[in-house]
Amino acid sequence: MSFRYKSALLSLVSMALIYVWFFVALVIHYRTGHPFNPVAHLAGTIVALAVVQIVGHAIIAGTSSDKYDAPDERERAFDRRATMVGYYVLIVGALMGIGTLHLGFDGPMVGDAVLFAIVFAECTRQSVFLIAHHRAG
Amino acid sequence: MFPIANNVRAEREARGMTQSELGAAIGLTRQTIAAIEQRHYSPSLEAAFRIARLFETSVDALFQWEE
């Protein structure tokens, strides 16, 4: 496995797990009215993700001999394909997030919906990159 | 599998090069060289010319279109 493959896998898994925790707590808050500080919760999520990414990348860099290699044409092609798919997911998700305004959602809920679209688009981008790697051998 | 067959593996092995060495010589990763040899990836025209020049042969001799 190349360094960039391991990096994409780490990013996907860490983002998915940490943001699932974030959004589950958010849904519980909206449904039960459980006391909740959304700013502290979001800040904690971002810090946790940053720590996991920094530590995780330091570990995989230590086990990858190709960590300093520039991406070549094949990896750039994977990246372009992944970014293109992620972009469309982001646009559709953001429009749907804004559309929640018409469902009676308030400001913070619309913001959370857009944040979900951003996270989902990034997870999609990383997934497409990993799938392209797998398919191309 | 891509329709472009190639002799990259045979030419590389004839020169005693590893996939990593070939990749480093022409600016591709070892994984990309492996994918080209297994016909899982068709290189760009530029990469094809770089490989051909390194092996002192022509692109035609190295790559063939197969239906």
Side-chain angles (χ1 to χ4, degrees):
Chain A
M1 275 194 283
S2 68
F3 173 71
R4 266 175 289 281
Y5 181 90
K6 290 184 222 172
S7 168
L9 191 59
L10 171 69
S11 298
L12 174 63
V13 172
S14 59
M15 269 196 92
L17 290 178
I18 290 172
Y19 275 102
V20 160
W21 167 74
F22 173 83
F23 285 112
V24 165
L26 207 60
V27 168
I28 291 171
H29 161 69
Y30 283 133
R31 289 200 164 218
T32 65
H34 190 266
F36 181 75
N37 183 341
V39 175
H41 191 59
L42 181 60
T45 301
I46 292 168
V47 169
L49 187 60
V51 169
V52 169
Q53 290 268 359
I54 290 167
V55 173
H57 276 91
I59 292 169
I60 61 172
T63 60
S64 304
S65 58
D66 61 341
K67 57 183 173 287
Y68 295 122
D69 292 353
D72 67 3
E73 60 178 44
R74 179 168 156 268
E75 287 182 321
R76 286 197 298 272
F78 294 160
D79 201 41
R80 278 196 301 274
R81 194 179 314 162
T83 301
M84 186 185 73
V85 175
Y87 171 76
Y88 285 115
V89 172
L90 175 64
I91 293 298
V92 171
L95 289 173
M96 288 174 73
I98 292 165
T100 58
L101 269 173
H102 301 286
L103 298 174
F105 284 29
D106 60 9
M109 289 174 97
V110 174
D112 292 332
V114 172
L115 177 63
F116 179 78
I118 292 169
V119 171
F120 189 70
E122 178 59 15
C123 287
T124 303
R125 191 178 74 83
Q126 301 289 2
S127 301
V128 172
F129 183 83
L130 292 168
I131 291 166
H133 248 282
H134 264 292
R135 281 194 180 161
Chain B
M1 191 168 295
F2 287 88
I4 301 173
N6 67 79
N7 307 323
V8 173
R9 179 179 218 132
E11 294 286 344
R12 175 179 62 76
E13 288 179 347
R15 285 160 180 77
M17 292 179 86
T18 64
Q19 290 178 336
S20 298
E21 287 167 346
L22 172 57
I26 58 168
L28 298 178
T29 61
R30 184 195 62 75
Q31 290 86 358
T32 299
I33 298 298
I36 291 169
E37 288 183 357
Q38 292 162 24
R39 293 176 64 177
H40 289 153
Y41 175 70
S42 291
S44 66
L45 196 55
E46 183 185 334
F49 270 102
R50 284 184 190 279
I51 297 170
R53 280 175 63 109
L54 184 75
F55 291 159
E56 295 175 329
T57 184
S58 65
V59 173
D60 266 5
L62 209 51
F63 295 93
Q64 305 84 37
W65 180 268
E66 276 185 7
E67 296 289 350

